[in-house]
Amino acid sequence: MNDSTRNMRSRGKRSKRHGTGPIAFFVPLFIIALGAIQLVSTFHTYALNLAQLNDLKNQEAALITKKQDLENDIERWNDDSYVATQARERLGFVFPGEKAVRVQHPEAVTDTSEGTAKTKSGTSDGKVLPWYSELEYSFKKADERPSKTASGSQSGDTGKADGNSGSATDTNSGDKQ
């Protein structure tokens, strides 16, 4: 074999290699791209499953807390003193020998409608008395007789029993004379 034949054979091999170069480059690139897409898809699924797992753990913790609360409620309702307290508060039950007093209109007794108006207008001193002091004050106020010199108002109070314009106090004081 001479040199010219060798050159032709080597040129033919070179041309075949040169023609297969782009295919040999794009096939591995395509395989790498498919592998990357598969990895991204796998990590995305993993992230979604992890988020779902965290949500389920949060739900489990909430349900465990709710279960503990319900078990505590069951334990409380098994206690006789708690049941008696709830019956007194919610249903108004009393023990034998006790007398139940139910106030139909508590705002009339505690004077909350005028008390809030005084607080809003700023004429009240803003002092809140304990319940027993308010009870004592209301007893003293109920026992007081209206003064004969009062002409419809007494020391800042309106003297209105039913929301009328003070004529009830004037007629009452006039009837006593």
Side-chain angles (χ1 to χ4, degrees):
M1 284 197 172
N2 64 28
D3 288 332
S4 64
T5 335
R6 285 185 191 166
N7 286 338
M8 289 175 128
R9 285 185 186 172
S10 65
R11 283 185 190 168
K13 289 181 182 178
R14 285 184 191 165
S15 64
K16 286 183 181 178
R17 285 184 193 167
H18 186 57
T20 59
I23 293 174
F25 175 73
F26 285 113
V27 168
L29 187 64
F30 180 72
I31 291 172
I32 291 173
L34 282 177
I37 291 172
Q38 193 67 27
L39 279 175
V40 168
S41 173
T42 303
F43 284 128
H44 178 68
T45 305
Y46 173 75
L48 290 176
N49 288 342
L50 189 62
Q52 187 179 15
L53 179 68
N54 288 336
D55 287 342
L56 290 174
K57 284 182 179 180
N58 290 339
Q59 286 178 0
E60 180 187 22
L63 289 174
I64 288 172
T65 304
K66 186 175 180 181
K67 178 186 171 196
Q68 289 174 347
D69 290 342
L70 292 174
E71 287 175 350
N72 288 340
D73 285 344
I74 289 171
E75 288 177 19
R76 268 188 254 139
W77 281 103
N78 287 335
D79 184 19
D80 290 337
S81 62
Y82 181 76
V83 172
T85 303
Q86 292 300 313
R88 285 174 167 265
E89 289 177 4
R90 294 182 182 186
L91 304 174
F93 285 7
V94 293
F95 286 117
E98 292 181 340
K99 292 185 179 181
V101 177
R102 181 175 297 252
V103 179
Q104 293 294 328
H105 300 287
E107 61 272 355
V109 175
T110 59
D111 198 26
T112 56
S113 61
E114 288 182 13
T116 56
K118 285 180 184 177
T119 306
K120 289 179 183 176
S121 65
T123 57
S124 178
D125 58 354
K127 234 168 84 173
V128 177
L129 300 174
W131 67 270
Y132 50 85
S133 297
E134 288 183 12
L135 184 66
E136 180 184 358
Y137 174 76
S138 64
F139 283 142
K140 287 181 182 177
K141 190 74 170 172
D143 287 341
E144 287 180 4
R145 290 190 176 183
S147 65
K148 294 181 181 181
T149 60
S151 62
S153 64
Q154 300 174 2
S155 67
D157 290 339
T158 58
K160 300 177 200 170
D162 57 355
N164 293 336
S165 64
S167 59
T169 307
D170 292 336
T171 57
N172 287 343
S173 64
D175 291 341
K176 291 180 185 176
Q177 290 178 348

